[in-house]
Amino acid sequence: RVHVDQGLCVIGAIKLFDDYAEIKRMFVSPQYRGRGVAQLILDELIKWARQNNIKKVCLETGDKFEAAIHFYKKNGFQVCEPFGQYKYEKHCTCMARPV
């Protein structure tokens, strides 16, 4: 986490499982978007998964988050079937990519 002016500006979280890692949270405050911060966070999360011998990274996002879906696709993620505790839901989009 990074704090600027006593406010949270970016966050990234990943959870390890036996055969994959899940990106649990990625958020960049609006005033910091468009500066490459999200890319730095994602790169670090994937690097951390790789260092822990994880072969696949998954995530779940809402289908209304078009910019996020585009960002993840640009980074090699593809839409996939629900994984882990997720089940098919109309507005959820599950994505995965190899590490």
Side-chain angles (χ1 to χ4, degrees):
R1 299 192 305 180
V2 177
H3 290 281
V4 175
D5 296 328
Q6 299 181 355
L8 184 66
C9 64
V10 299
I11 190 168
I14 192 166
K15 183 175 181 179
L16 297 179
F17 292 90
D18 289 338
D19 55 344
Y20 68 95
E22 179 185 357
I23 295 177
K24 298 296 288 181
R25 175 86 50 200
M26 273 194 57
F27 175 78
V28 178
S29 293
Q31 68 267 32
Y32 295 98
R33 293 179 186 164
R35 299 183 187 185
V37 177
Q39 189 65 59
L40 292 172
I41 294 169
L42 182 61
D43 290 347
E44 283 299 314
L45 294 176
I46 291 172
K47 178 181 164 185
W48 195 83
R50 188 177 299 117
Q51 289 171 342
N52 284 276
N53 299 315
I54 299 297
K55 304 294 184 218
K56 179 170 74 169
V57 177
C58 304
L59 62 92
E60 180 274 335
T61 189
D63 66 351
K64 304 280 189 228
F65 297 115
E66 293 175 14
I69 291 170
H70 176 75
F71 171 75
Y72 291 124
K73 283 183 176 181
K74 183 179 87 173
N75 280 279
F77 285 84
Q78 296 181 349
V79 174
C80 67
E81 294 295 317
F83 61 92
Q85 79 276 13
Y86 298 103
K87 296 180 174 87
Y88 175 78
E89 291 186 28
K90 184 177 180 181
H91 298 291
C92 291
T93 300
C94 290
M95 304 181 83
R97 66 159 272 184
V99 174

